[in-house]
Amino acid sequence: MPEPRFSDLILPQNEQLSMSQLMASFKRTTLTIHNRLTSIQTDADFVDAVSQAYSPRPLVANERCGSWYIPPERKGASAYFKSTDGHERAWKFSTRRLNLHLVELIENNDGIIIVDSTRRGKRMPDALSSTIPIWCTVLNLTLLPSNPSSANLYLPVHLPATTHSQICALIPGFVASFKALNLNLPTCLTKPLRPFWVTPDSSLPSVQDTSSIFDDFRPVICCTASRRVVGSEMDEGGYIQGAADDTEMWAHDLTAPLFWENIDELLKTPEAELPDLISRLVGDHAASKKDEGTQVKLTQNLSVCPLPLPANPLECRIVITQDSTPKDSWIKSKTYMQAGLGKNKLASRNLRTSLPEICGFAAKYLASATEPDQQRIVVACESGRDLSVGVALAISCYLFDDDGNIRKSTEDASFTKTFIKSRLGFIMTAYPSANPSRATLQSVNSFLMDWRK
């Protein structure tokens, strides 16, 4: 009988894995929660070194990713620069994310350090390489138009000259769109903003060097927290570049503040036990969240806040919940509406068809409130930064004129994108942490500009 050959062997089908399946399995063993958390800690150590090198300039987290690399007590502020605004040939100055609150912080501290990270293979996120440089130049030309350096656009050296020239051609249009908002702009800036870039490959200066080199400008130091990984994570001994990205895919509802609050326990817990530990930490945090949300005043008549919403009989309260409830159950009293729109993108889409009822409820309340101190409306949602801001924007446009007075009638009112952008600009200036999603704003625009309403 001949010797058996390998090709003659019959293996069980469920034990035969393709190469792609094997690689996917290996990748899953690398992209574990534990590896992500330890990678975040490693990157946070680098951010701390950058902070010391450029002390005393405050650390600013570019949300959502940046907060994972900065202990909460060290975070000076949050920023909202999107990488999508810096993508190749899609460059944009966002009139939705103005980040004007950073100007005073920069002036008072001779600059800031903005922290962000990006996925495997990239040197730095587009938010740091392109979005922030565009922002700096637009603000320089608007706030310091007579300074000879204001028109300069600075980009990282790895970007080609063609990118520089193409973005420069767009700057005048960006400046015009910014000025068209007619906002009350900061007046404190005395030197032009200039971006610098720091990565784990950079040589950090000493504190003595950085205390005297920024004489003609205010530095906006763009810090990429993660080390660049060119190949596979499997070759990096468990290190994951941009480990804090896409938290919805791995974090089990763990947040950056909870991570820092429980960092020692999380890092010493075996991988198999981490999901249960995180679930317990998240549950305990939710159970302890008994304090009422802090209200943020957007205008004389409008405020927003996260849930839970405090009771106040002297104001109109509109609550947006994550339940899906029928419209005929929303009105609880003449001063209280609870609208269940669902969660996430579904809620943002449902907002479009819900705004007529919500604005109608607010209009009836304002018509019945005879005293000026009673003409207040507060809108709450889970975060206090998305749906509540969208509803407040719609109410502001629909029911109030440019002087802040209640419209006598909405029948002849017309709304343009420029008008809505201007109102949004005022709101974002008053509430820099507001972060209405694109879907939320699309629903507001659709409602306000729909001739059929």
Side-chain angles (χ1 to χ4, degrees):
M1 184 175 180
E3 292 289 327
R5 294 172 298 178
F6 181 80
S7 59
D8 296 327
L9 298 177
I10 300 176
L11 299 175
Q13 183 66 32
N14 60 0
E15 294 183 13
Q16 295 184 28
L17 298 177
S18 67
M19 182 58 68
S20 62
Q21 289 173 318
L22 284 171
M23 295 301 293
S25 178
F26 289 145
K27 187 174 182 179
R28 283 194 297 271
T29 62
T30 302
L31 300 179
T32 61
I33 301 173
H34 184 269
N35 283 352
R36 286 186 180 274
L37 297 182
T38 54
S39 298
I40 289 171
Q41 184 192 38
T42 298
D43 295 342
D45 290 340
F46 169 70
V47 171
D48 181 64
V50 173
S51 176
Q52 294 181 39
Y54 292 96
S55 177
R57 297 170 183 90
L59 292 168
V60 174
N62 195 35
E63 305 294 3
R64 298 176 298 172
C65 183
S67 283
W68 286 85
Y69 303 104
I70 307 172
E73 67 274 10
R74 298 281 311 282
K75 187 168 76 171
S78 290
Y80 300 89
F81 295 102
K82 297 296 184 183
S83 282
T84 51
D85 295 335
H87 284 177
E88 181 75 15
R89 301 185 186 278
W91 303 290
K92 179 182 177 183
F93 174 81
S94 176
T95 55
R96 176 160 69 97
R97 295 174 286 268
L98 294 171
N99 292 293
L100 294 180
H101 63 292
L102 298 179
V103 175
E104 184 176 1
L105 190 66
I106 292 170
E107 178 67 23
N108 291 342
N109 296 278
D110 189 34
I112 56 174
I113 305 167
I114 301 182
V115 179
D116 201 354
S117 188
T118 190
R119 58 179 171 79
R120 172 172 57 88
K122 296 194 68 175
R123 286 185 177 88
M124 61 184 69
D126 291 335
L128 300 188
S129 65
S130 301
T131 306
I132 290 176
I134 291 171
W135 179 81
C136 289
T137 302
V138 171
L139 261 63
N140 287 340
L141 287 169
T142 305
L143 303 181
L144 299 173
S146 60
N147 191 295
S149 300
S150 289
N152 294 339
L153 172 69
Y154 297 94
L155 296 175
V157 294
H158 70 269
L159 293 181
T162 53
T163 295
H164 186 277
S165 61
Q166 289 170 356
I167 294 178
C168 281
L170 299 173
I171 294 295
F174 295 155
V175 173
S177 66
F178 182 34
K179 290 181 177 179
L181 298 178
N182 293 318
L183 301 176
N184 294 321
L185 299 176
T187 59
C188 59
L189 191 65
T190 59
K191 301 177 185 178
L193 308 174
R194 179 172 175 177
F196 287 84
W197 296 271
V198 178
T199 73
D201 295 328
S202 304
S203 297
L204 297 180
S206 65
V207 176
Q208 291 77 14
D209 293 334
T210 59
S211 62
S212 60
I213 62 174
F214 304 121
D215 294 330
D216 301 322
F217 44 80
R218 299 296 185 200
V220 178
I221 301 162
C222 302
C223 173
T224 300
S226 295
R227 172 170 56 84
R228 187 184 185 190
V229 174
V230 178
S232 169
E233 292 94 346
M234 292 182 290
D235 301 326
E236 297 296 324
Y239 177 78
I240 301 170
Q241 180 181 355
D245 274 351
D246 300 324
T247 52
E248 61 274 7
M249 303 295 292
W250 63 268
H252 296 269
D253 294 326
L254 182 69
T255 62
L258 268 182
F259 164 68
W260 284 105
E261 185 179 336
N262 302 277
I263 184 170
D264 293 335
E265 184 177 6
L266 286 164
L267 292 180
K268 71 181 182 183
T269 300
E271 175 68 24
E273 300 174 18
L274 274 173
D276 289 340
L277 171 61
I278 292 172
S279 178
R280 177 173 62 80
L281 294 175
V282 171
D284 291 347
H285 176 72
S288 65
K289 187 181 176 183
K290 298 178 181 178
D291 295 337
E292 296 170 337
T294 302
Q295 292 191 23
V296 178
K297 191 173 183 179
L298 305 181
T299 69
Q300 187 65 30
N301 305 89
L302 284 170
S303 300
V304 295
C305 79
L307 294 172
L309 177 63
N312 187 342
L314 299 179
E315 63 189 11
C316 174
R317 296 177 296 142
I318 299 173
V319 173
I320 310 300
T321 70
Q322 295 185 335
D323 303 318
S324 294
T325 56
K327 291 182 179 180
D328 57 11
S329 69
W330 288 359
I331 298 178
K332 307 300 182 181
S333 72
K334 293 181 179 180
T335 62
Y336 183 57
M337 169 183 272
Q338 184 172 308
L341 303 186
K343 295 182 179 180
N344 304 324
K345 290 184 178 180
L346 174 63
S348 295
R349 290 195 297 268
N350 287 340
L351 183 62
R352 163 64 188 93
T353 56
S354 304
L355 281 173
E357 285 76 17
I358 294 173
C359 288
F361 175 77
K364 287 182 180 179
Y365 170 79
L366 292 173
S368 65
T370 55
E371 298 297 327
D373 62 345
Q374 293 182 336
Q375 295 175 340
R376 297 195 304 269
I377 300 173
V378 58
V379 187
C381 68
E382 188 66 30
S383 68
R385 300 188 300 135
D386 182 8
L387 292 169
S388 57
V389 175
V391 171
L393 172 62
I395 292 174
S396 171
C397 294
Y398 195 60
L399 299 180
F400 294 91
D401 62 22
D402 289 336
D403 297 322
N405 300 317
I406 300 172
R407 295 185 190 275
K408 295 181 180 179
S409 173
T410 60
E411 292 182 1
D412 298 327
S414 62
F415 309 102
T416 64
K417 282 189 176 181
T418 301
F419 172 82
I420 299 170
K421 282 183 178 180
S422 179
R423 286 291 176 94
L424 177 61
F426 279 104
I427 288 176
M428 297 302 294
T429 302
Y431 185 22
S433 295
N435 192 27
S437 69
R438 179 181 178 85
T440 294
L441 294 178
Q442 285 176 335
S443 289
V444 174
N445 285 344
S446 180
F447 162 69
L448 291 173
M449 294 191 293
D450 188 348
W451 61 271
R452 294 169 297 180
K453 66 175 182 293

